[in-house]
Amino acid sequence: MDTAVSRAGRRFEPQQERELHGAALSAAKSLPSARRGLTVVRELNGPIGIPDFTALTGDPSQILERHAAPIPPITNEIDAGIVAALNATTGRPVEWIARQLGWPPTTVQRRIVSLLRLGAIKGVGNQRFVRDARLGTLGRVYAIEAKVDDWTSALKQVRTYRVWADAYVLVMGPLSDRVLTRLTPEVRHDRGGLVVDGTWVLRPRLGHVAPARRIQAAEAFAASTFGGDLLPPL
């Protein structure tokens, strides 16, 4: 899905980077768990940054279940934090949620009112709350960025995606041995993936993402796919 078509201020996309998109999509197809299901969107407006592609691996029926819920995307970090703190079965009071998140109870209470109105959570008696079962993480999220050169700038950019993506994949054109020797350990340290000139150099490994950010990422992904206009099957 091209999520940037109708968004004002779409960034300029150099021709050379577009030529790397085939390698980026090939990399997505060979991601861990991709055989269980793979959904890819272009230029996802993520919690932080806009990767060239964002890939979701896992059972695609979860996305359909989320689409079936008459709940607008929960992309606000505070709201996502509350949703992440709750589960779909055990009711929790405001004070418990506030302790889990380290926030003032008044902040939580104020957002609880909004989330109840949206249908994202519901009361289960005695001032306790659960989230809608259709809200949650949808699978593993990979941010994929294609860059022709300037590896230092590229590395800085993909590192911002680690805040909300389970891992990043940096796709670059041909690099000199000197540059590859400097770039590879940096990406390995990040547990990221690296594709150079169409070939895997490093496979991504899952990092740690805060629960609220994982909810934000899932909700951003759901929001970008509501129209159903996904990229062609890989």
Side-chain angles (χ1 to χ4, degrees), residues 45-65:
N45 192 358
I48 299 176
I50 304 175
D52 289 324
F53 299 96
T54 304
L56 178 72
T57 64
D59 185 355
S61 67
Q62 293 179 291
I63 301 176
L64 298 178
E65 291 176 5

Side-chain angles (χ1 to χ4, degrees), residues 15-16 77 127 147 179 218:
Q15 175 64 31
Q16 288 178 299
E77 184 178 359
Q127 291 297 301
K147 290 293 182 187
V179 169

Side-chain angles (χ1 to χ4, degrees), residues 1-232:
M1 168 180 281
D2 189 341
T3 61
V5 169
S6 61
R7 184 170 60 246
R10 179 174 180 173
R11 61 186 177 123
F12 172 71
E13 184 178 53
Q15 175 64 31
Q16 288 178 299
E17 290 188 10
R18 286 200 297 269
E19 293 173 355
L20 292 177
H21 287 178
L25 292 174
S26 294
K29 186 164 61 174
S30 59
L31 286 169
S33 303
R35 291 184 179 181
R36 295 178 50 217
L38 174 65
T39 308
V40 180
V41 297
R42 184 180 179 185
E43 295 189 337
L44 175 80
N45 192 358
I48 299 176
I50 304 175
D52 289 324
F53 299 96
T54 304
L56 178 72
T57 64
D59 185 355
S61 67
Q62 293 179 291
I63 301 176
L64 298 178
E65 291 176 5
R66 175 62 184 93
H67 289 175
I71 305 168
I74 308 300
T75 56
N76 176 282
E77 184 178 359
I78 294 177
D79 291 348
I82 294 172
V83 170
L86 294 172
N87 63 50
T89 56
T90 305
R92 299 295 188 184
V94 168
E95 293 75 14
W96 184 92
I97 300 170
R99 285 197 303 272
Q100 293 297 306
L101 299 174
W103 296 343
T106 53
T107 298
V108 174
Q109 182 63 57
R110 184 166 58 251
R111 298 312 305 167
I112 284 285
V113 173
S114 175
L115 290 168
L116 285 169
R117 185 172 62 252
L118 295 174
I121 67 173
K122 64 179 180 179
V124 291
N126 197 26
Q127 291 297 301
R128 292 173 178 267
F129 305 93
V130 296
R131 64 169 171 82
D132 188 288
R134 294 166 292 188
L135 295 180
T137 57
L138 301 175
R140 294 299 184 181
V141 177
Y142 296 85
I144 306 174
E145 189 73 26
K147 290 293 182 187
V148 176
D149 48 28
D150 192 0
W151 68 271
T152 55
S153 175
L155 187 62
K156 181 179 180 180
Q157 182 173 351
V158 294
R159 279 174 166 166
T160 64
Y161 303 145
R162 294 184 300 167
V163 172
W164 55 270
D166 290 293
Y168 69 72
V169 177
L170 177 57
V171 179
M172 302 203 70
L175 298 175
S176 68
D177 290 341
R178 180 182 63 83
V179 169
L180 189 58
T181 299
R182 296 179 63 187
L183 176 58
T184 300
E186 296 284 349
V187 177
R188 181 183 291 113
H189 180 268
D190 293 342
R191 304 174 69 88
L194 178 62
V195 175
V196 176
D197 199 18
T199 300
W200 279 106
V201 176
L202 293 172
R203 301 275 181 168
R205 296 174 293 161
L206 299 178
H208 174 73
V209 181
R213 292 297 194 180
R214 294 201 72 205
I215 292 292
Q216 277 188 291
E219 289 294 287
F221 205 95
S224 71
T225 56
F226 273 130
D229 184 22
L230 301 175
L231 286 172

